[in-house]
Amino acid sequence: AQSVTQLGSHVSVSEGALVLLRCNYSSSVPPYLFWYVQYPNQGLQLLLKYTTGATLVKGINGFEAEFKKSETSFHLTKPSAHMSDAAEYFCAVSGSGNTPLVFGKGTRLSVIA
Amino acid sequence: GAVVSQHPSRVICKSGTSVKIECRSLDFQATTMFWYRQFPKQSLMLMATSNEGSKATYEQGVEKDKFLINHASLTLSTLTVTSAHPEDSSFYICSARLPGPSVPGTQYFGPGTRLTVL
């Protein structure tokens, strides 16, 4: 069984400040981990993913995340927030094969000018 | 990149009618598609997994006779909400899994369909 916990349903940062969105997972098999972003009334857009190999993964829009097995974490970061980053962010986990994605509850990011 | 479309983007219907939502993978073949439901300010809830040429697998608590899923081709899956009621009003999102070992588990999402039942 797999699960995802996103700490903080709402995170607010100033424009230009560091963005840190936390995600911890639970998985009985080696996990595949994902971050998606959702803008209002839209579907989800893949930001980045970890499958195997390098534990620091870079995604679109300047985001990156680091897989830390010892901490069962996959936190999302961006050095400098931009107003356009304001959105809902979802962390998700899946196993191999055709297992569906399991999503966290989401974190709403607000960026203050 | 992989593109998934949904149609319609928004639909309003009367209580008791049926509504069909289409999900298409535009530039790849998807043997597996997923249907999610999302309530306001909440996460996505998986409703069912749709496999081309076979019956859909529904999650616990999802009425398969109410939410009919058909995956007739490698690029099209449809979700029909039968005898819709106001409590079925929600944002429905489909996704398709990109095939191949190089991108395990990766799903690409459609833009969603906002269903409002009056």
Side-chain angles (χ1 to χ4, degrees):
Chain A
Q2 296 165 310
S3 66
V4 172
T5 301
Q6 289 184 241
L7 297 176
S9 60
H10 183 207
V11 171
S12 184
V13 300
S14 298
E15 189 175 20
L18 171 71
V19 176
L20 171 61
L21 304 182
R22 299 178 186 274
C23 172
N24 288 89
Y25 71 91
S26 173
S27 179
S28 56
V29 298
Y32 300 141
L33 294 158
F34 306 83
W35 275 99
Y36 286 87
V37 61
Q38 184 181 33
Y39 297 99
N41 295 310
Q42 295 187 27
L44 276 67
Q45 180 182 7
L46 180 65
L47 273 179
L48 49 79
K49 62 182 183 286
Y50 167 79
T51 53
T52 59
T55 56
L56 180 63
V57 293
K58 295 185 185 297
I60 62 172
N61 302 338
F63 284 93
E64 62 182 36
E66 185 171 11
F67 170 60
K68 292 187 177 180
K69 184 178 179 180
S70 61
E71 299 178 7
T72 60
S73 69
F74 191 58
H75 302 331
L76 180 71
T77 61
K78 182 175 180 178
S80 177
H82 191 273
M83 297 297 288
S84 60
D85 295 327
E88 189 85 18
Y89 291 80
F90 292 96
C91 181
V93 63
S94 80
S96 60
N98 271 334
T99 55
L101 286 174
V102 174
F103 285 90
K105 292 187 175 182
T107 298
R108 183 164 60 92
L109 175 66
S110 297
V111 182
I112 304 167
Chain B
V3 179
V4 176
S5 71
Q6 272 184 250
H7 178 79
S9 59
R10 183 181 297 267
V11 58
I12 301 173
C13 69
K14 292 182 179 180
S15 185
T17 61
S18 295
V19 174
K20 180 184 284 188
I21 303 170
E22 293 185 347
C23 176
R24 294 181 185 274
S25 56
L26 298 185
D27 50 2
F28 66 99
Q29 294 183 329
T31 54
T32 303
M33 290 183 172
F34 303 90
W35 286 97
Y36 295 85
R37 184 173 180 176
Q38 186 180 30
F39 290 103
K41 300 184 186 298
Q42 294 189 28
S43 188
L44 282 72
M45 180 191 79
L46 179 66
M47 299 174 65
T49 301
S50 169
N51 295 299
E52 187 269 337
S54 64
K55 290 183 178 181
T57 302
Y58 290 81
E59 295 299 302
Q60 190 173 9
V62 177
E63 300 175 61
K64 61 182 180 181
D65 293 333
K66 180 169 186 61
F67 299 99
L68 300 179
I69 292 172
N70 187 317
H71 195 155
S73 76
L74 288 172
T75 58
L76 174 64
S77 176
T78 60
L79 167 68
T80 301
V81 183
T82 62
S83 187
H85 291 283
E87 58 265 30
D88 299 323
S89 299
S90 190
F91 195 52
Y92 292 87
I93 305 176
C94 74
S95 71
R97 187 193 298 279
L98 199 64
S102 62
V103 282
T106 303
Q107 293 181 31
Y108 291 87
F109 287 80
T113 297
R114 173 74 61 191
L115 171 63
T116 302
V117 184
L118 302 177

